[in-house]
Amino acid sequence: MKLRTVLLTAAGWLVALAFLAPYAEMLLTALKPTPELMESPPSYLPSHWQWSNFTQIWSLTDPRVGDALLFSLYVAGASTLLALAVGLPAAYYTARHRFRGRGAFLILVLVTQMFAPTALLVGIYREMVSLDLTDTAEGLILVNAAFNLPFCVWILNAYFASIPKELEEAAWLDGTGRFGALIRVILPLAMPGVVTALVYTFIGAWNSTWWRSRSPRPATG
């Protein structure tokens, strides 16, 4: 093995360990007994691995924390699926077709990421009021999906554009339609971009979802 490869591998591991160290510290701290949390200087490894800390948290906190966690998971998951469902066709079409206004459309999508959410708060609230979606999970899902949609379109557009169109045309010659070629050929090749968009959208929706101590009222229409 070349020295350059060894050095790059070692540097990569060091960078990975630097990013993972805080998470390892949080996990080790969560497994310590309560008296060890106040020790000075603190020990890195617990003297007694208290795995029951992860089960006691459910009895020591608000019993409705489980409902709040499921609510956040529902909103984040639904927002991710909605953003991908809208972003995939938009990114695929803009990557494969050179229509008039394509550049302006992509720039407009990018510009929407530059707006601070607080600057749009009044408009979003008025829209939710007109749709009767205030204080509902559906309103949160729509807003989170809308804010993360531009990123999905941009990153998926780049992945779709990097895939040779000849592969798609070969699938058409074999009798596969445009939709079949997208599902069987394009999406598997663009899966790294799809996973990146999925993870980014889910984390963004999860971080912006406030845990509730009560369930939201159902949407009425």
Side-chain angles (χ1 to χ4, degrees):
M1 186 179 295
K2 295 182 180 180
L3 178 61
R4 182 173 179 273
T5 303
V6 174
L7 293 177
L8 288 176
T9 303
W13 277 106
L14 288 175
V15 172
L17 290 175
F19 279 98
L20 293 176
Y23 298 98
E25 178 66 20
M26 285 190 293
L27 177 61
L28 293 175
T29 302
L31 293 173
K32 289 181 180 180
T34 302
E36 290 189 28
L37 298 176
M38 300 300 181
E39 289 183 354
S40 182
S43 58
Y44 288 100
L45 295 177
S47 60
H48 174 67
W49 299 81
Q50 189 126 358
W51 297 97
S52 59
N53 289 341
F54 290 98
T55 57
Q56 290 177 353
I57 187 65
W58 299 100
S59 59
L60 296 177
T61 58
D62 192 322
R64 293 170 293 182
V65 68
D67 296 335
L69 184 62
L70 290 176
F71 174 75
S72 298
L73 185 62
Y74 165 68
V75 171
S79 301
T80 301
L81 293 178
L82 180 59
L84 287 178
V86 177
L88 275 171
Y92 174 73
Y93 190 85
T94 54
R96 285 290 184 257
H97 297 82
R98 296 295 187 268
F99 55 91
R100 179 179 297 179
R102 174 180 175 273
F105 170 76
L106 291 175
I107 292 176
L108 179 62
V109 170
L110 182 62
V111 167
T112 58
Q113 290 288 85
M114 301 179 184
F115 288 102
T118 51
L120 305 174
L121 185 60
V122 175
I124 292 174
Y125 179 75
R126 289 175 62 90
E127 186 175 358
M128 292 298 105
V129 169
S130 64
L131 295 175
D132 196 21
L133 290 178
T134 56
D135 197 28
T136 63
E138 290 77 9
L140 284 175
I141 292 169
L142 288 175
V143 172
N144 285 322
F147 274 113
N148 290 288
L149 181 60
F151 177 83
C152 291
V153 173
W154 262 94
I155 192 170
L156 291 174
N157 175 77
Y159 269 91
F160 288 149
S162 66
I163 299 174
K165 192 175 182 179
E166 290 75 13
L167 295 176
E168 198 172 2
E169 293 173 347
W172 296 346
L173 292 175
D174 289 337
T176 302
R178 185 178 295 274
F179 182 76
L182 173 64
I183 298 298
R184 300 180 182 179
V185 179
I186 303 301
L187 279 183
L189 294 175
M191 193 53 63
V194 175
V195 173
T196 301
L198 187 149
V199 172
Y200 177 89
T201 305
F202 183 85
I203 292 176
W206 177 270
N207 289 337
S208 62
T209 301
W210 291 94
W211 284 10
R212 300 285 190 91
S213 60
R214 61 183 179 86
S215 301
R217 68 177 179 85
T220 57

